[in-house]
Amino acid sequence: MKKPTVYAMYILCGSTLFATAVQVGAKGAWRPGSIVKPAPVTEEGKPLNKSDYIRNFSVLESFMGVTSAVNDDPRYTLEDYKSSFKPSSIEENPGYFSAYLEDNNVRVDMTAVTNVAVYRFTFPASEKGCHVVLDISQPLDQFQGGELRLRDSKSVEGFGTYKDEKGKEITRYFSFQFTEPVRRRGTWIGDASEDKHFARVEDGSTLGFYTYFWGTHDDETLLLKVGLSEKSIDDARKNLANEFPGW
């Protein structure tokens, strides 16, 4: 089986969004010709109809992902963010996927164009707010180094370099944009977090970025769009502007 290279990202109301390596296990929202492939990521890559829970939602097949949950404390293992889901809530159409995460009380809708994935998270009421954490260093045994930077109050950009299954180095550039401004943010390398807007590693150490949004009302939504590129961060940003301008 081909070894995946994965980003995985989680949005939590009252806690964190966290990224880790998983394998896509179901159909998703991509269209013919799409580079991005948003889809539910299940336990051990099982088909969705045979899985008990959803771990996250990918951005690029075997590369990136997002999900949501309600939690009180930031945690950094995949098991803390998986959620059972309501099978009757699943909606799949060309270019669209939606699911309701029962444990997390969050609905996730997603769609995609060629180089851009768009996610809508509908949250329950929470006074603690929503945290977002991006970990670009997964899978760690393939991660060579990377960079994260808060470009402005609504954007996080950077790149990650990995070795593929043939040992060839590949670099993926990204630009994340939110509908709401980030209230608090920082970076982490290894086990240490700092209140900084920039971080870079070249030795394969874990690398991440966290953000915080204020509390949410019931059925409040947060939109996230992700532009990808094999060329540069500027190109990832241009893909966002050209393929999915505005909201």
Side-chain angles (χ1 to χ4, degrees), residues 7-23:
Y7 283 175
M9 192 169 63
Y10 305 79
I11 293 181
L12 286 85
C13 198
S15 186
T16 59
L17 174 158
F18 183 72
T20 189
V22 289
Q23 186 174 4

Side-chain angles (χ1 to χ4, degrees), residues 118-121 177-180 221-225 247:
V118 183
Y119 301 83
R120 179 177 64 196
F121 300 91
Q177 292 186 11
F178 303 95
T179 47
E180 301 297 328
T221 60
L222 173 67
L223 295 179
L224 166 67
K225 58 182 178 180
W247 293 101

Side-chain angles (χ1 to χ4, degrees), residues 8-82:
M9 192 169 63
Y10 305 79
I11 293 181
L12 286 85
C13 198
S15 186
T16 59
L17 174 158
F18 183 72
T20 189
V22 289
Q23 186 174 4
V24 175
K27 295 180 180 178
W30 65 84
R31 304 174 184 183
S34 293
I35 302 302
V36 291
K37 297 184 183 297
V41 178
T42 59
E43 51 181 321
E44 305 302 330
K46 291 182 180 179
L48 189 61
N49 62 357
K50 294 183 178 180
S51 179
D52 294 326
Y53 55 83
I54 291 174
R55 290 179 181 267
N56 67 4
F57 299 92
S58 66
V59 176
L60 180 62
E61 187 172 14
S62 67
F63 177 60
M64 212 183 249
V66 296
T67 196
S68 300
V70 178
N71 207 317
D72 293 329
D73 305 303
R75 300 190 183 102
Y76 302 101
T77 65
L78 181 63
E79 295 302 310
D80 290 317
Y81 298 103
K82 68 182 182 183

Side-chain angles (χ1 to χ4, degrees), residues 146-238:
E147 177 180 301
L148 285 166
R149 181 191 301 271
L150 182 70
R151 183 168 179 260
D152 55 43
S153 64
K154 295 184 179 181
S155 303
V156 179
E157 299 178 335
F159 68 87
T161 299
Y162 311 84
K163 282 189 177 181
D164 64 16
E165 66 279 0
K166 296 181 179 180
K168 178 182 178 181
E169 286 196 353
I170 58 173
T171 299
R172 296 293 182 264
Y173 303 88
F174 55 84
S175 179
F176 290 81
Q177 292 186 11
F178 303 95
T179 47
E180 301 297 328
V182 175
R183 305 297 184 181
R184 189 170 71 240
R185 61 272 188 183
T187 60
W188 51 271
I189 297 176
D191 296 327
S193 62
E194 298 184 57
D195 186 18
K196 294 182 178 180
H197 302 172
F198 173 83
R200 182 185 180 103
V201 299
E202 298 179 352
D203 61 357
S205 299
T206 55
L207 173 65
F209 195 98
Y210 66 86
T211 61
Y212 175 78
F213 301 88
W214 292 146
T216 56
H217 303 291
D218 197 28
D219 291 334
E220 186 167 346
T221 60
L222 173 67
L223 295 179
L224 166 67
K225 58 182 178 180
V226 185
L228 298 180
S229 172
E230 297 179 356
K231 299 178 181 178
S232 67
I233 295 173
D234 284 343
D235 194 56
R237 196 183 306 139
K238 289 176 183 177

